Amino acid sequence: MKTIEKRVITKKPEVLAPAGTLEKLKTAIRYGADAVFIGGNAYGLRSRAGNFTYEEMKEGIAFAREYDAKVYVAANMVAHEGDAEGAGDFFRTLRDIGIDAVIVSDPALIEICATEAEGLPIHLSTQASATNYETLNFWKAEGLERVVLAREVSMAEIKEIRQKTDIEIEAFIHGAMCISYSGRCTLSNHMADRDANRGGCSQSCRWKYGLFEVDDTAERTSRLGEAVENEAEEAFSMSAVDMAMIRSIPDLVENGVDSLKIEGRMKSIHYVSTVANVYRRAIDTYCADPDNYVFNQEWEDELWKVAQRELSSGFYYGVPSEEEQLFGKPRKIPAYHFIGQVIAYDEETNIAEIQQRNNFGIGDSIEFYGPNFTHFEQTIEELWNEKDEPIERAPNAMMTVKMRVAQPVKPYDMMRKQR
């Protein structure tokens, strides 16, 4: 009888999650992220993402070490004259406090980091538009440890790249897609006087625009100011749907992607916890037994609970069509919103203390979820305030309330309800 040899995954890819604040960093790691990427107070592309002070970085690093997780800092701006001043001190400080790597796109900043902060690993940002193996080999020769591929790279190209280079590969698997090539956009510069490539993107592609059609007659008379234009009813004209590669974990793993990156440093802890939780479970399931792996529809359903836009596979399996752009009213909207986080739980009484994040009350059908993809639903039957007085609703932001729960919960479990 012929023995069938089972496939064994020798290297499980890293789940890399966004962390716009210290709370999000801790949430992402608790919910399964192997690493997080954050921003400092300079040289990044998210000036409004709650960027970290050095003290916050130290606290985040200490927390990550407890979970054997890593912390990367994005310093991926395109540097104009004067922007690189102080970069050497910045990178040295990151190295000395224990940051695991920096994510950089500008060659000048890369050179400064390599020469003035020796020993600090450098990852090439997606902003550098790396789309072929020759480019990856070039950056490997320059001393970089990892390249974050451009979002325009296909799965077939990843396969070829992996075969012809041994530098670490990172690829985006979930989150917002920029309508411009690898984020190289100047719409914000001209429309809001905010430089998208130096941290000030105003999301101009997400604004509402009117589309106008001018007929031949109107076009001929337009010089006289007599043209009549017909406005099309479109909510957006330059906005892409989001990416979700939850169905493609086998392809990503088999083609040798080392780090699977989730976009969204400005998203909520509800988003970070849910998405990290889902991809952690899917990756662990596949890597544990690839021969018998079966996609679980519950994973995709879970992602829809925090989705803001429709989802697609981006450029991985072909060039996106008009179906992957946002026009008119959203074809699918978030089904749930985040209403609270568990602070404490009493096993004897089955009463949980909840920090309120959105209005909820008696009679609401809610869902609890936590790390390791744990879930249960129940209806709220009793509520008490901090003074143990019965209340009907919890209307005040960040107030502490108590409620009896149907199953045990743990601190940092989340609570949400259907819209």
Side-chain angles (χ1 to χ4, degrees), residues 161-200:
I161 288 170
R162 179 73 293 162
Q163 291 171 348
K164 295 179 178 179
T165 183
D166 60 359
I167 192 172
E168 288 188 3
I169 293 173
E170 181 176 307
F172 280 92
I173 59 165
H174 195 93
M177 293 284 286
C178 183
I179 200 67
S180 295
Y181 201 93
S182 287
R184 295 182 175 187
C185 179
T186 58
L187 288 175
S188 177
N189 302 54
H190 295 286
M191 295 180 177
D193 196 25
R194 285 167 45 179
D195 194 333
N197 294 295
R198 285 196 281 175

Side-chain angles (χ1 to χ4, degrees), residues 105-122:
S105 65
D106 192 287
L109 293 176
I110 290 173
E111 181 69 12
I112 291 169
C113 183
T115 57
E116 299 189 34
E118 188 176 357
L120 177 60
I122 304 172

Side-chain angles (χ1 to χ4, degrees), residues 10 58 73 84 161 250:
T10 57
K58 290 177 184 178
V73 171
I161 288 170

Side-chain angles (χ1 to χ4, degrees), residues 226-275:
E226 299 173 358
V228 178
E229 297 171 329
N230 298 315
E231 182 177 1
E233 296 182 359
E234 300 289 354
F236 295 96
S237 61
M238 291 182 287
S239 194
V241 302
D242 288 357
M243 176 191 289
M245 293 296 287
I246 189 62
R247 289 180 173 270
S248 301
I249 296 302
D251 283 353
L252 291 161
V253 177
E254 293 295 336
N255 286 315
V257 180
D258 298 282
S259 179
L260 305 179
K261 188 170 194 172
I262 299 164
E263 183 275 339
R265 276 196 286 145
M266 297 177 70
K267 301 283 182 66
S268 68
I269 62 170
H270 180 212
Y271 170 89
V272 170
S273 60
T274 299
V275 178

Side-chain angles (χ1 to χ4, degrees), residues 77-85 106 189 195 197-198:
M77 71 181 298
V78 175
H80 288 236
E81 293 299 335
D83 287 341
E85 292 179 6
D106 192 287
N189 302 54
D195 194 333
N197 294 295
R198 285 196 281 175

Side-chain angles (χ1 to χ4, degrees), residues 18-122:
T21 64
L22 194 55
E23 181 186 32
K24 294 173 188 177
L25 179 151
K26 294 178 179 180
T27 298
I29 292 172
R30 288 190 182 106
Y31 278 78
D34 299 298
V36 295
F37 61 100
I38 67 174
N41 286 326
Y43 312 109
L45 286 181
R46 290 291 182 271
S47 61
R48 295 173 293 141
N51 294 313
F52 285 57
T53 66
Y54 293 134
E55 289 304 313
E56 288 172 328
M57 288 184 188
K58 290 177 184 178
E59 184 176 343
I61 292 166
F63 182 86
R65 296 294 181 267
E66 294 177 17
Y67 289 79
D68 197 25
K70 295 181 178 181
V71 180
Y72 309 138
V73 171
N76 51 349
M77 71 181 298
V78 175
H80 288 236
E81 293 299 335
D83 287 341
E85 292 179 6
D89 288 336
F90 176 74
F91 289 128
R92 279 192 297 274
T93 302
L94 298 187
R95 178 197 63 190
D96 294 344
I97 66 176
I99 289 296
D100 293 285
V102 287
I103 307 166
V104 191
S105 65
D106 192 287
L109 293 176
I110 290 173
E111 181 69 12
I112 291 169
C113 183
T115 57
E116 299 189 34
E118 188 176 357
L120 177 60
I122 304 172

